[in-house]
Amino acid sequence: MMRYISCSQTFPPSFTSFHFSFPYKPAALKLYSTMATDTSKYKLNHSMMRVKDPKATIKFYEFLGMKLIETIKNPDNKFDLYFLAFDSPAAVSHGTRRSNREGLIELTHNYGTENDPNYHITNGNSEPYRGFGHVAISVDNVQAACERVEKGGYKFKKKLTDGSMRDIAFVLDPDEYWVEIIPQKPYLQTADIKETDVATYKMNHTMIRVKDSKKSLDFYQNVLGMTLLSTYDNQEAKFTNYFLAYPISYSIPSSSTPHHTAYREGLLELTWNHGTENDSNFSYHNGNAEPQGFGHLCISVDDLDAACERLESKNVSWKKRLTDGRMKDIAFVLDPDGYWIEVIQNKQLKD
């Protein structure tokens, strides 16, 4: 059954069935010369995931230390949105407006799914629907944090002791989305520490798989304005991970992990499995085609109109322009793999 795909506000049900493609307009180049948008002020604001039972899912993320900072009810269209963030006094964006944050999770609940035994979320990690991979939290003392999660009764996809990578774990949320747990400090230094403080946790990154690393890196860097922070290349297993982000205004402790990114929020991890770019029949599932699961990434920008003009000048593929439909305050572009990228106004920068 087709359900509303909701991405911060509602679309008509038919919106999920169409890809709005518009011809490139040379006039956009004229607009570009007068644009007042600065990509260094952009933020990777949130990742949206559909959920079956919001009560169970919110309880899980609150157990991890997140806080429900905003709820948007839409009973007319039978869905609700829940926005969660790390919001302790120690959090990097404590108390600030939702659109001025990075590393939020948006949960979308379509009414009635919690009572439907046939409704299941696609988590993006099973064939033939692989695409979205996981969200990741960074923690103070990774061994103590994982022990706390296990005592809380939650199921692991990978424990610290599984396999050769002893510094990361994966726990499953109620819809079996993968949540990676990574250390903020070198894990050997925290082996004997028994305490963990969820107030220090951070929503570090979101991982999506990409078919062609060159095309995706070009899009996220040159079109969306992100910066490549680090690369992890595994020739033996034939994959490469790329970590990208927007600039930050806070400092990174010297005790952080080697790439100095674990104390950050709002990173994007692109995973490229070598050779997929040469297979004309290969594609990833974007989470919005049936069966659904992951919905979109979202960036908040300094000036929404100017940012969309700039995107027009970059000849992007639009899922929804600002002028499409009733919602004039959001737009959606498509990345090279068809993942949806929502674009919203950072209201702290411009009311």
Side-chain angles (χ1 to χ4, degrees), residues 96-140:
T96 193
R97 299 174 78 160
R98 170 168 63 87
S99 60
N100 193 43
R101 295 171 180 257
E102 291 195 296
L104 277 70
I105 289 181
E106 176 188 357
L107 305 177
T108 294
H109 170 237
N110 294 292
Y111 293 1
T113 55
E114 67 277 20
N115 299 316
D116 182 353
N118 297 316
Y119 181 80
H120 300 285
I121 293 294
T122 296
N123 70 6
N125 289 303
S126 299
E127 295 291 4
Y129 306 115
R130 292 209 309 163
F132 169 71
H134 61 261
V135 294
I137 63 169
S138 67
V139 300
D140 53 355

Side-chain angles (χ1 to χ4, degrees), residues 246-293:
Y246 289 111
I248 56 174
S249 58
Y250 51 90
S251 60
I252 302 297
S254 59
S255 61
S256 62
T257 51
H259 290 301
H260 304 286
T261 56
Y263 278 92
R264 295 188 56 156
E265 293 193 315
L267 276 68
L268 176 64
E269 177 186 359
L270 304 179
T271 293
W272 168 52
N273 291 293
H274 303 172
T276 54
E277 73 280 11
N278 298 319
D279 185 347
S280 60
N281 296 316
F282 184 88
S283 64
Y284 282 116
H285 184 68
N286 71 3
N288 290 305
E290 295 288 357
Q292 295 182 324

Side-chain angles (χ1 to χ4, degrees), residues 29-291:
L29 287 176
K30 220 180 212 184
L31 291 169
Y32 182 68
S33 63
T34 58
M35 288 174 206
T37 186
D38 180 355
T39 59
S40 70
K41 296 180 180 178
Y42 291 10
K43 296 181 183 294
L44 185 56
N45 180 251
H46 70 255
S47 303
M48 187 276 266
M49 305 183 296
R50 297 173 180 87
V51 299
K52 179 182 176 77
D53 184 344
K55 291 182 179 179
T57 304
I58 290 170
K59 179 182 177 182
F60 170 82
Y61 286 102
E62 287 181 335
F63 179 83
L64 293 183
M66 302 190 80
K67 177 183 177 182
L68 181 63
I69 62 167
E70 188 174 338
T71 301
I72 298 176
K73 300 281 188 179
N74 199 325
D76 291 343
N77 292 300
K78 298 183 179 179
F79 73 86
D80 294 333
L81 309 176
Y82 304 90
F83 293 88
L84 296 104
F86 286 105
D87 196 47
S88 74
V92 296
S93 57
H94 169 65
T96 193
R97 299 174 78 160
R98 170 168 63 87
S99 60
N100 193 43
R101 295 171 180 257
E102 291 195 296
L104 277 70
I105 289 181
E106 176 188 357
L107 305 177
T108 294
H109 170 237
N110 294 292
Y111 293 1
T113 55
E114 67 277 20
N115 299 316
D116 182 353
N118 297 316
Y119 181 80
H120 300 285
I121 293 294
T122 296
N123 70 6
N125 289 303
S126 299
E127 295 291 4
Y129 306 115
R130 292 209 309 163
F132 169 71
H134 61 261
V135 294
I137 63 169
S138 67
V139 300
D140 53 355
N141 306 313
V142 68
Q143 295 88 348
C146 288
E147 184 177 356
R148 177 179 176 272
V149 170
E150 187 167 13
K151 287 181 178 178
Y154 293 106
K155 180 182 176 182
F156 279 83
K157 179 67 180 180
K158 176 199 176 298
K159 294 184 178 182
L160 290 175
T161 53
D162 296 335
S164 60
M165 301 177 71
R166 299 303 176 96
D167 57 343
I168 64 170
F170 285 87
V171 63
L172 299 176
D173 85 353
D175 288 290
E176 297 198 343
Y177 289 116
W178 295 13
V179 180
E180 186 178 15
I181 303 174
I182 66 173
Q184 293 173 356
K185 294 171 284 190
Y187 79 105
L188 292 176
Q189 295 179 11
T190 61
D192 297 325
I193 300 176
K194 304 300 181 184
E195 301 296 326
T196 185
D197 181 3
V198 297
T200 66
Y201 292 8
K202 291 176 171 50
M203 182 52 65
N204 181 253
H205 70 258
T206 297
M207 187 276 267
I208 56 174
R209 298 175 178 90
V210 300
K211 175 177 179 174
D212 188 322
S213 61
K214 291 182 179 179
K215 290 181 179 179
S216 294
L217 287 170
D218 179 69
F219 175 82
Y220 284 102
Q221 291 179 99
N222 298 324
V223 177
L224 294 189
M226 302 184 83
T227 297
L228 180 63
L229 301 181
S230 63
T231 300
Y232 173 75
D233 188 52
N234 190 322
Q235 287 296 326
E236 184 179 352
K238 298 182 179 180
F239 73 87
T240 304
N241 295 332
Y242 305 93
F243 292 88
L244 301 100
Y246 289 111
I248 56 174
S249 58
Y250 51 90
S251 60
I252 302 297
S254 59
S255 61
S256 62
T257 51
H259 290 301
H260 304 286
T261 56
Y263 278 92
R264 295 188 56 156
E265 293 193 315
L267 276 68
L268 176 64
E269 177 186 359
L270 304 179
T271 293
W272 168 52
N273 291 293
H274 303 172
T276 54
E277 73 280 11
N278 298 319
D279 185 347
S280 60
N281 296 316
F282 184 88
S283 64
Y284 282 116
H285 184 68
N286 71 3
N288 290 305
E290 295 288 357

